[in-house]
Amino acid sequence: MLFHINGMLRFWFSLVLMLTCAAVAQAADIRGKVRVIDGDTLDVGDVRVRLHGIDAPERNQPCTTLTGQNWGCGDWVTRQVRDRYQGAEARCEATDWDGTYKRVVARCFVDGTEINRAMVAEGLAFAYRKYSLDYDLEEKAAFVADLGIHGFVMEAPARYRLTRIKGRTAQDAKCRIKGNINAKGVRIYHVPGQKYYERTGIQAAQGEQWFCSEAQARASGWRRSKL
């Protein structure tokens, strides 16, 4: 019986691997006009592409300037990428398949310039070292020069996604500001010690979330509770 189960597991693993490789191979050379989804995701023709080896701020991700001003880094990066590449003819070389979001992971080129590398070099994305060190030197040079997002204070995009998906709950003890949406749809945040803090609950599925600072809450569109 154990041999039979192990054999079935090997079969299913091999089948999944074969299908994944087939999907990547089928999309190995992608060509078409670019439609920018966000800083590191594009539609190239009718194929959704996640840019290999880089991680850009999420579209609604906030940050703070070095002088303490709130700034929408994610929206800014998306606009920059759109200004550069929207409507351009691109060629992409697939490197992997993102089964979770049904996207091809790829290097993409416009007029001979690699988009992935250019974005990191210009400070529009981080090198995603978890998956690749291809753009490590470009990020270091952009960091030294304070280019783009390196001139702001912000969370790593991967951490921002993690805390947003999980509702910014107690996994980070520093993120204790509650971003609540009231019955009228008004976004109000509560800090520890305020009158309604303890009785306020957070329902992440409805867009409510935890924040790590008041600056972050304001940059995301919440206002401080008056009580």
Side-chain angles (χ1 to χ4, degrees), residues 101-211:
Y101 295 101
K102 306 296 187 294
R103 304 177 295 187
V104 176
V105 180
R107 294 184 180 88
C108 293
F109 302 82
V110 169
D111 294 331
T113 298
E114 183 185 346
I115 296 176
N116 315 43
R117 192 175 302 278
M119 285 188 58
V120 177
E122 294 174 27
L124 298 177
F126 297 99
Y128 209 172
R129 295 179 180 84
K130 178 180 178 180
Y131 297 103
S132 173
L133 293 176
D134 288 353
Y135 312 112
D136 178 67
L137 294 179
E138 283 79 5
E139 184 190 297
K140 289 176 179 175
F143 174 79
V144 170
D146 282 336
L147 294 180
I149 55 179
H150 301 292
F152 301 98
V153 178
M154 63 183 300
E155 284 184 291
R159 177 166 180 76
Y160 177 78
R161 288 192 297 272
L162 178 64
T163 54
R164 183 183 62 173
I165 290 170
K166 294 189 175 181
R168 295 188 185 275
T169 51
Q171 69 206 29
D172 189 339
K174 296 180 181 178
C175 299
R176 300 183 60 206
I177 297 174
K178 297 179 177 181
N180 174 256
I181 302 176
N182 69 17
K184 296 181 179 180
V186 179
R187 298 182 175 192
I188 300 173
Y189 69 84
H190 304 261
V191 301
Q194 286 191 296
K195 181 176 180 178
Y196 297 112
Y197 180 83
E198 294 298 335
R199 71 177 72 173
T200 298
I202 296 299
Q203 300 184 55
Q206 297 182 14
E208 297 177 337
Q209 56 187 286
W210 296 77
F211 294 104

Side-chain angles (χ1 to χ4, degrees), residues 19-63:
L19 292 174
T20 300
C21 291
V24 173
Q26 185 178 16
D29 191 23
I30 305 160
R31 295 174 185 268
K33 285 190 175 183
V34 172
R35 184 170 72 90
V36 175
I37 305 302
D38 60 27
D40 50 34
T41 306
L42 315 172
D43 281 346
V44 179
D46 58 359
V47 178
R48 179 63 53 89
V49 174
R50 173 63 159 86
L51 294 172
H52 159 81
I54 74 171
D55 203 15
E58 295 297 302
R59 286 190 62 173
N60 62 345
Q61 184 171 350
C63 62

